Each structure stands twice: as C-alpha cells, then as structure tokens.
Amino acid sequence: MAIQFNFLSSMLILVLLSISSVEGSGGGGGGVTDVVAKFGAKADEKTDLSKPLLDAWKEACASTSPSKIVIPKGIYFLSTATLDGPCKAPIELQVQGTVKAPADPGAFKEPKWIAFNRIENFKLSGGGVFDGQGTTAYKREGCKGHDYCGSLPINLRFDFLTNAMIQDITTKDSKQFQANVLGCKNITFEHFTVSAPDESPNTDGIHIGRSDGVNVLNSEIKTGDDCVSIGDGSKNLVINGVTCGPGHGISIGSLGLFKNEEPVDGVTVKNCTMTNTSNGVRIKTWPGAEPGTCSNIHFEDITVTNVSSPIIIDQKYCPWNKCKINEESKVKLSNISFKNIHGTSARPEAIKIICSATLPCENVELADIEITHSGPTGPAVSQCLNVKPKVSGKQNPAVCFAPIPAKPTPTA
C-alpha cells in the first residue's frame, strides 16, 4: 500500500504542481487572474470578496487551458462562497492573504462558509489563512452540549473533488469542522495547518467521509476536537507526519450511529505525534444502533506525550449518555495493528481495547509498545474486553493485564 501511495501521490503532485507554472494565457483563456487587479476586490476587511471571487472563478473555470486565481496579500472579508465545477481544465486558487468570515454565526443560512464542489484537477495553495472567527460560536449556550453545533458553518468544504492538492494553507477558528472532505477521490493535504483553542467544541481538524485515497501529510493540527476524524465509507487513507495537540487525537468514527453506513477499509496512520491530547489513536463505535465494518487499520510509529488515552478501541462510545449503553456494538472490527507506539500517558489506562461481545474484534496486533505513566494512582495499565490480541516485541504496560471497571471512563 505504501508503494502504491508513494507512486500515485508523486504523480498527482507533479500534475497539480504543473498548474502553478502557468504564467501566460494559452488557447481558450487560462493564465493568472488577480482578483484585486481585474475584479476590484479590496483588502479592507469590510468589502465582500464574494462577487470578485465568484466572477474570477467563473472565468477561470470556463477556460480550456490551466488557470490560476490569486488572492494577494492583505486581509479580506468574505461572506460566503461556493466554487462549483466541473471546470474545463486544471484550476488553482492561490491564497496569499487572510480571508475572514463573518463573526456572527447567524449570518449563515447553511452550515458552510467556503465550499469547493465537483472539481477535477484542483489546487488550493499560497500560504494564506482562512479565519472563521469562531470565538463567538464557542461561547454560545448549548454548543458545548452539541445540541445544535451541526448547524454551524464549516470553514472549508471539499465535496466530490477528484485529483486535488491542498498545500500550504491555514484554517483557523472555524465555528464547526475546520475542513470537511466528502465524496472525494485522490485528495492530498500537505503542510496544512489547523489552529483553534482546545475549548472549541466540534471543531475537528479534518473530517473525512465516503472518500477514497485521502492523504494528510506533514501537517500541524491544534483544535478542540479530533485532529483527524474518519467517518464511514473512507478507503485507502494515509495520515503521515501529523502533529496533533491540543485535540482529541486521530480517530476512526464514531461509527454505527446511522443506517446504511459504508465500510471503512484501509487506513494507515504513521509517524505522528500527539501532545496533551485526550486520545492518541482511536477507533470508536456506538453500542446498539446500526451495523457496519471497519478493517485493515494500521497505527505505526506514534509518539504520545501526556495523552489521556494513548491507544483506544471503544465500542461503548457514548458521549453525553445518548446511547443504548447496555447493548453491544454492531460494528465489526478486524485486522487492526498498533506498532511502535511510545511515550507517556496522562492517566493510568494507557491501553484500552473494549470490543463488542456479540462481534468480538478479530486479528488485533500489539507490537513494541512502551507507554509509561507516573502518578498517585499507579503505573500505566492495559485493559481488554472481548479481544485476544496478537503480541510481539516489548510490551509496557503488560497487555490486557488490568481488570475492566464496571463503568469504564467515558472518552470525549
């Protein structure tokens, strides 16, 4: 899988980087378009960027040769924008400045701020910043209980893209997810930065669902929820070189809550670092609820520092006590490995593998684990339920050695 990933991603990067070399116009338009110089955009933090951007996009998208739209350095206000394809040729949006959203959550009619929809051969680049100005939303009563957070706008939506590169971009202080990936094929995030305070609710760094071939590489994510969350229908994902913290770690799930969820298959998380997070690497499924499958999941070469739950499979995931906690999960987990994971745990329960009694986890492997905990409650421990893991290499703490409490500590 790694060989296939390296080849395909290298070819994709070469194709998409070729868009950047476009400096003049070819047949059928193309070339570089400056939204300030040509379409009158103003970097004054109050004039809406929406019309200049959409006008530039319409022109570039209709070109039969590769095009680049540039948002120059400066601070811009953007009410909302949906950039639709299909386009006739490769297209790049190069954001050099800072683009700010309305601070008032009530300004949005839909749960999105900027959306990229049904585009092939697309690149977003430039070193710029998308600032969702979400501080007001974090303080709104009810959001901490997740009663209405889903209606708040997502900073960046990538819907049904094919062959896309998101490179050298920062998203900060989104009112909901920082970036959402849905229905995409072959999309890479590289040097992608997420910045939000640890008290920001439901602000997953990158949420991925029903997509094939997503790569998250050499990126830094600081947020109030999962750094990367992987939903149903995700296939052939590679997460490599990500630093996470604060946040809730890198999570698959939650799964099994909704009807007709699609399988999760083929996820590799490697060379990642978690610091001061509530979880490290995690799979979470709801008890009771709906059936599903999750297989071929590999976590390798992970460093954890002061992480509350460094290794966790939680098939009793029940936030806010809104579940059938006495029932078993109907999501089947199989072919899962945790290899070379080391560092420190903030709580004694360094390893917690809680599987379904009716569908026990199959082919779970633990290899070369070294996680320590120092505190008044004792050293690090490992807890297991409904699983018989394959073990190799050093194991600290000893695998499945500690008893499971009657009421396990809930995870965020």
Side-chain angles (χ1 to χ4, degrees):
M1 181 174 175
I3 294 173
Q4 182 185 33
F5 155 68
N6 289 332
F7 174 75
L8 290 175
S9 63
S10 297
M11 293 300 294
L12 173 60
I13 290 169
L14 285 172
V15 170
L16 291 169
L17 287 177
S18 70
I19 302 172
S20 302
S21 65
V22 178
E23 296 298 338
S25 60
V32 179
T33 299
D34 185 318
V35 295
V36 172
K38 185 168 184 179
F39 291 96
K42 295 181 180 179
D44 60 7
E45 297 188 59
K46 59 182 180 180
T47 303
D48 195 351
L49 179 63
S50 181
K51 188 177 188 304
L53 177 59
L54 292 172
D55 287 347
W57 182 266
K58 183 178 179 180
E59 179 181 282
C61 191
S63 169
T64 55
S65 59
S67 300
K68 181 195 294 185
I69 300 165
V70 177
I71 300 176
K73 290 184 179 180
I75 303 176
Y76 302 82
F77 169 77
L78 174 63
S79 57
T80 185
T82 297
L83 304 178
D84 285 315
C87 297
K88 293 183 178 180
I91 187 167
E92 176 179 0
L93 176 61
Q94 187 178 92
V95 180
Q96 300 171 359
T98 295
V99 182
K100 288 189 172 185
D104 180 9
F108 296 86
K109 295 179 180 179
E110 296 181 272
K112 61 181 180 180
W113 176 32
I114 303 169
F116 303 91
N117 184 46
R118 300 187 185 278
I119 311 163
E120 188 171 353
N121 298 323
F122 168 68
K123 184 177 180 183
L124 176 63
S125 66
V129 178
F130 292 95
D131 183 354
Q133 298 206 95
T135 305
T136 302
Y138 307 153
K139 297 176 180 179
R140 287 180 70 181
E141 186 178 359
C143 198
K144 289 186 177 180
H146 296 262
D147 292 325
Y148 73 93
C149 282
S151 64
L152 294 171
I154 293 167
N155 259 17
L156 301 173
R157 287 199 63 108
F158 303 98
D159 297 332
F160 307 104
L161 306 188
T162 301
N163 299 334
M165 169 68 76
I166 317 302
Q167 187 177 55
D168 297 316
I169 287 293
T170 295
T171 172
K172 64 173 293 188
D173 295 341
S174 179
K175 298 172 181 66
Q176 204 205 142
F177 294 171
Q178 305 284 343
N180 190 81
V181 178
L182 176 66
C184 292
K185 187 171 184 179
N186 299 331
I187 179 171
T188 294
F189 293 80
E190 187 171 32
H191 302 300
F192 186 71
T193 301
V194 172
S195 177
D198 58 1
E199 67 271 15
S200 57
N202 208 34
T203 53
D204 295 26
I206 304 174
H207 178 74
I208 302 164
R210 306 206 172 193
S211 296
D212 187 349
V214 181
N215 306 306
V216 182
L217 312 176
N218 305 317
S219 296
E220 181 179 10
I221 301 176
K222 299 178 179 181
T223 194
D225 211 299
D226 294 329
C227 289
V228 181
S229 58
I230 299 164
D232 78 291
S234 299
K235 299 186 294 182
N236 305 315
L237 271 58
V238 174
I239 300 169
N240 194 323
V242 170
T243 61
C244 168
H248 293 181
I250 295 175
S251 297
I252 297 175
S254 56
L255 302 175
L257 181 59
F258 302 107
K259 291 182 180 295
N260 302 315
E261 289 189 358
E262 297 180 6
V264 174
D265 186 15
V267 177
T268 298
V269 179
K270 192 171 183 178
N271 298 322
C272 294
T273 300
M274 319 282 175
T275 304
N276 299 324
T277 54
S278 57
N279 304 286
V281 289
R282 171 171 66 158
I283 301 172
K284 50 182 177 176
T285 76
W286 290 79
E290 301 298 327
T293 63
C294 177
S295 58
N296 302 311
I297 312 299
H298 305 292
F299 303 103
E300 187 173 357
D301 301 333
I302 308 295
T303 300
V304 294
T305 302
N306 196 41
V307 171
S308 296
S309 297
I311 296 174
I312 180 166
I313 294 177
D314 184 5
Q315 294 209 263
K316 289 283 189 180
Y317 179 70
C318 186
W320 329 298
N321 294 315
K322 294 182 178 180
C323 72
K324 302 174 182 176
I325 191 63
N326 294 322
E327 296 186 15
E328 298 298 325
S329 177
K330 300 174 184 176
V331 179
K332 178 67 176 180
L333 306 182
S334 61
N335 300 333
I336 300 162
S337 65
F338 302 91
K339 296 182 178 181
N340 190 30
I341 300 178
H342 58 275
T344 59
S345 176
R347 298 192 310 199
E349 299 85 6
I351 302 172
K352 186 158 62 173
I353 303 178
I354 309 299
C355 297
S356 169
T358 53
L359 292 170
C361 297
E362 287 187 355
N363 194 23
V364 174
E365 181 180 1
L366 292 165
D368 299 310
I369 308 297
E370 176 66 40
I371 302 174
T372 60
H373 169 75
S374 298
T377 52
V381 298
S382 170
Q383 300 173 338
C384 301
L385 185 66
N386 304 314
V387 62
K388 295 180 180 178
K390 175 185 175 182
V391 177
S392 63
K394 187 171 184 178
Q395 296 292 325
N396 181 26
V399 176
C400 303
F401 184 76
I404 300 293
K407 291 185 177 181
T409 304
T411 59

